[in-house]
Amino acid sequence: MPHRTHPFSTLTPAFIMDAVESQGFACDCRTLALNSYENRVYQVGIEEGEPLVAKFYRPGRWTDEQIVEEHDFCAELAAHELPVVAPWRNADGHSLFRHDGFRFALYPRQGGRAPEFDNLDNLLVLGRMLGRMHRIGAVSPFVHRPTLDSQSFGHGSVALIRDRFIPPELRESYTAVTGLLLEAVEALFAEAGEVRYLRTHGDCHAGNILWRDDAPHFVDFDDARMAPAVQDLWMMLSGDRPRKLALLDSLLEGYTEFNDFDPRELRLIEPLRSLRVLHYSAWLARRWEDPIFPATFPWFNTPRYWNDQIIELREQVAALAEPPLELP
């Protein structure tokens, strides 16, 4: 059962406003919880000013150095006039703050809607932005933030689920299919060779891009990490193979206006998708004591969920055996 005294229960409206006002702002008593599970995010009204977005970090997830490195990356991108929502900095240049045991950051509010990834014109624009972003991301590596790899996203995720969550009657099937999956993932990474790892957004799905005035605005770099460039591209591809190729063509047409793309990375699309599937289940499992997770994901950790998960993993094993997408 989830603990009723989870640390995030401290985040009352009064606590949130006290934290924001500790940085010199005057709140107007309006707070609105925004959609976020890993952290807690609130829109906070400011007297005689635009609302701010206050992000309170999950205790114990990132070190201070890792959070600051994310903030610095966002600031670097914004300094190059990329449409990135970077955290606010005080007069001393700090962007990470503390209030009564919590670390938090403040952001300007950015309106917009989710982009349409099936719109070829949108993908052309997104490709241009990501090409520029990755040119900057390749200038220097992250020092403190992690690398996306099969050990953390794959083997670590499987071990957690196998040892603590999968029903005993399904453990053998789960162990077998994940073994096949990870073997195929690692073979395809080896086949791709020494691809370049760079600083990426890391979680570039539609919920982390706000479309406004015919342009994308990238938000929430909380999962930024070292990864191949294709990690920020593959989540925009959907449909059957011909449709994926059409979307990829538009995306890379824009991308290559500003940056080179190594076609060997196309072999990593399905391996990266596989790692994301494994990591997602493990993420839910690791957060299950946070009351918002059982309330929001009631279908998780049920026999039906694990049966469906095994079926999905078998389908993913089959997808890994198919020829990768290729450039024309």
Side-chain angles (χ1 to χ4, degrees), residues 292-304:
I292 198 174
F293 278 75
T296 308
F297 308 102
W299 37 260
F300 175 72
N301 204 26
T302 62
R304 179 174 180 177

Side-chain angles (χ1 to χ4, degrees), residues 2 11 61 66 139 148 161 188 207 246 262 266-267 277 316 325:
L11 300 178
R61 186 185 182 215
Q66 288 170 327
V139 169
L148 197 166
I161 297 301
L188 286 167
D262 184 349
L266 296 178
R267 302 183 185 189
V277 170
Q316 197 56 36
L325 298 179

Side-chain angles (χ1 to χ4, degrees), residues 43-265:
Q43 180 177 295
V44 181
I46 302 299
E47 291 185 1
E48 300 181 1
E50 291 294 317
L52 292 173
V53 173
K55 176 180 180 179
F56 291 84
Y57 288 91
R58 179 175 292 274
R61 186 185 182 215
W62 296 125
T63 66
D64 288 0
E65 292 80 7
Q66 288 170 327
I67 295 173
V68 169
E69 195 166 49
E70 173 216 330
H71 290 184
D72 289 346
F73 182 41
C74 290
E76 185 179 355
L77 295 172
H80 285 82
E81 299 183 346
L82 275 159
V84 168
V85 181
W88 173 82
R89 293 178 182 267
N90 64 14
D92 296 323
H94 299 308
S95 58
L96 180 62
F97 313 110
R98 292 182 180 272
H99 181 72
D100 199 10
F102 272 95
R103 296 171 298 173
F104 71 99
L106 300 173
Y107 292 80
R109 181 181 63 172
Q110 174 63 53
R113 55 180 173 80
E116 299 174 0
F117 285 161
D118 59 351
N119 182 309
L120 298 182
D121 292 333
N122 285 359
L123 287 185
L124 180 67
V125 173
L126 284 163
R128 288 169 179 157
M129 297 301 178
L130 287 168
R132 293 173 59 199
M133 185 186 297
H134 287 172
R135 281 190 71 90
I136 298 164
V139 169
S140 61
F142 283 134
V143 175
H144 302 289
R145 296 189 72 82
T147 296
L148 197 166
D149 57 31
S150 64
Q151 185 57 47
S152 59
F153 267 53
H155 291 281
S157 298
V158 167
L160 173 69
I161 297 301
R162 182 192 61 226
D163 297 341
R164 293 176 50 193
F165 284 86
I166 198 78
E169 65 272 18
L170 296 176
R171 185 172 292 119
E172 183 177 352
S173 295
Y174 180 80
T175 300
V177 72
T178 53
L180 290 172
L181 188 73
L182 288 171
E183 182 180 352
V185 164
E186 289 169 351
L188 286 167
F189 266 92
E191 186 179 308
E194 295 293 328
V195 298
R196 181 178 61 173
Y197 280 65
L198 46 83
R199 292 177 294 172
T200 63
H201 181 286
D203 195 26
C204 217
H205 60 74
N208 285 333
I209 303 171
L210 296 174
W211 199 270
R212 184 176 182 181
D213 300 328
D214 296 323
H217 298 267
F218 293 86
V219 300
D220 195 2
F221 280 70
D222 197 61
D223 284 295
R225 62 189 66 229
M226 298 295 293
V230 75
Q231 171 62 14
D232 281 346
L233 306 178
W234 72 261
M235 281 181 251
M236 301 180 189
L237 308 178
S238 62
D240 58 17
R241 186 180 181 89
R243 184 57 182 169
K244 287 178 182 176
L245 287 170
L247 298 174
L248 177 67
D249 184 61
S250 288
L251 195 57
L252 289 182
E253 180 182 351
Y255 189 95
T256 54
E257 289 180 21
F258 295 92
N259 203 358
D260 293 331
F261 180 78
D262 184 349
R264 294 180 302 167
E265 292 192 27

